[in-house]
């Protein structure tokens, strides 16, 4: 009998059952409960490279955790509530399960596969987003309501990150110009342990002020 591997095991009546091993060795069934703690999520996001690793070759990877901190900080500086700041902090937490699929790839798949891809991916993201809200103690309805604001500051963060961490490119990104209140992410990406600790610390601070 061939060894079972995550993502390809035979279940009842020979039906293929897809699953994923999480940090700590726990299994995740697609569409099921995400058995992770906030500390687990912080660790995974701190090790996950934004831009699928295509930042400057002479720099360490820029993590999804550091990006999430930037979005949350921009929301804080613009007077948003602790609840909204937490929504900003975990807006990409689903990537701890789904990975960081780049926006250009999503666009290409959307055009190639049409509504089938859009609906399937949106369903996966929504389920994992809801699970992350449960893990972090944030109401899912509030998270959904914060999405327009998150989108605004996500784009501002994207432009700041492009300037700080990406090589010059002959093509325009079409991102908005940076406002004066933007929290520039800094000259260098954080080491993953620092990114993990900053993310976890921001969560602990915000969790004491949730409504």
């Amino acid at each position: 009998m061939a060894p079972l591997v995550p993502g390809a095991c035979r279940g009842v009546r020979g039906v293929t059952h897809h699953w994923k091993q999480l940090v700590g060795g726990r299994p995740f069934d697609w569409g099921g409960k995400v058995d992770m703690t906030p500390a687990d999520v912080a660790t995974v996001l701190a090790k996950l490279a934004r831009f699928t690793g295509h930042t400057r070759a002479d720099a360490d990877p820029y993590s999804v955790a550091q990006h999430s901190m930037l979005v949350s900080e921009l929301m804080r500086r613009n007077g948003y509530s602790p609840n909204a700041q937490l929504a900003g902090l975990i807006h990409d937490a689903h990537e701890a399960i789904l990975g960081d699929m780049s926006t250009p790839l999503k666009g290409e798949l959307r055009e190639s596969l049409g509504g089938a891809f859009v609906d399937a991916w949106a369903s996966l993201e929504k389920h994992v987003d809801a699970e992350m809200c449960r893990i972090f103690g944030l109401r899912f309805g509030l998270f959904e309501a914060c999405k327009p604001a998150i989108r605004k500051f996500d784009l501002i963060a994207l432009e700041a990150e492009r300037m700080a961490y990406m090589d010059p490119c002959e093509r325009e990104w079409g991102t908005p110009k940076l406002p004066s209140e933007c929290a520039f992410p800094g000259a260098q990406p954080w080491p993953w342990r620092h990114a993990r600790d900053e993310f976890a610390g921001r969560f602990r601070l915000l969790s004491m002020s949730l409504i």
Side-chain angles (χ1 to χ4, degrees):
M1 180 178 179
L4 300 180
V5 296
C9 64
R10 290 286 176 178
V12 179
R13 298 177 182 175
V15 176
T16 301
H17 175 65
H18 298 285
W19 61 287
K20 176 184 178 75
Q21 181 172 323
L22 305 180
V23 63
R26 295 178 294 274
F28 167 68
D29 296 310
W30 296 104
K33 179 180 179 180
V34 176
D35 188 9
M36 297 177 74
T37 66
D40 291 333
V41 177
T43 297
V44 175
L45 295 182
K47 293 181 176 181
L48 189 62
R50 187 151 158 80
F51 305 113
T52 60
H54 289 274
T55 47
R56 291 196 312 268
D58 61 348
D60 289 328
Y62 177 66
S63 72
V64 174
Q66 187 172 354
H67 163 73
S68 301
M69 284 288 297
L70 176 57
V71 172
S72 183
E73 174 62 14
L74 284 169
M75 296 181 79
R76 184 192 70 81
R77 293 189 178 198
N78 283 271
Y80 283 80
S81 70
N83 299 64
Q85 293 173 48
L86 178 57
L89 185 68
I90 67 170
H91 78 281
D92 278 340
H94 58 258
E95 293 180 4
I97 300 294
L98 303 178
D100 183 11
M101 182 184 289
S102 67
T103 299
L105 177 57
K106 285 182 182 178
E108 181 64 25
L109 291 174
R110 185 181 297 112
E111 291 185 8
S112 300
L113 302 178
F117 166 76
V118 173
D119 293 345
W121 189 261
S123 177
L124 281 172
E125 274 198 0
K126 186 172 184 178
H127 172 73
V128 179
D129 278 339
E131 282 293 289
M132 290 299 168
C133 285
R134 176 186 60 78
I135 290 167
F136 284 88
L138 183 68
R139 297 193 306 276
F140 182 62
L142 192 151
F143 175 82
E144 290 281 281
C146 289
K147 280 189 172 180
I150 291 170
R151 177 62 176 165
K152 171 185 175 181
F153 294 110
D154 201 22
L155 287 173
I156 292 172
L158 177 64
E159 174 62 6
E161 292 158 354
R162 182 192 68 79
M163 294 174 61
Y165 304 127
M166 305 293 285
D167 291 309
C169 182
E170 63 184 24
R171 297 184 183 180
E172 295 292 332
W173 281 34
T175 46
K177 292 187 180 296
L178 290 181
S180 58
E181 71 271 15
C182 179
F184 199 74
Q188 294 295 330
W190 295 337
W192 78 263
R193 289 181 177 84
H194 181 67
R196 174 199 63 192
D197 293 345
E198 289 288 335
F199 185 101
R202 174 64 65 96
F203 166 63
R204 288 193 295 270
L205 180 64
L206 292 173
S207 65
M208 294 187 291
S209 304
L210 296 181
I211 300 173

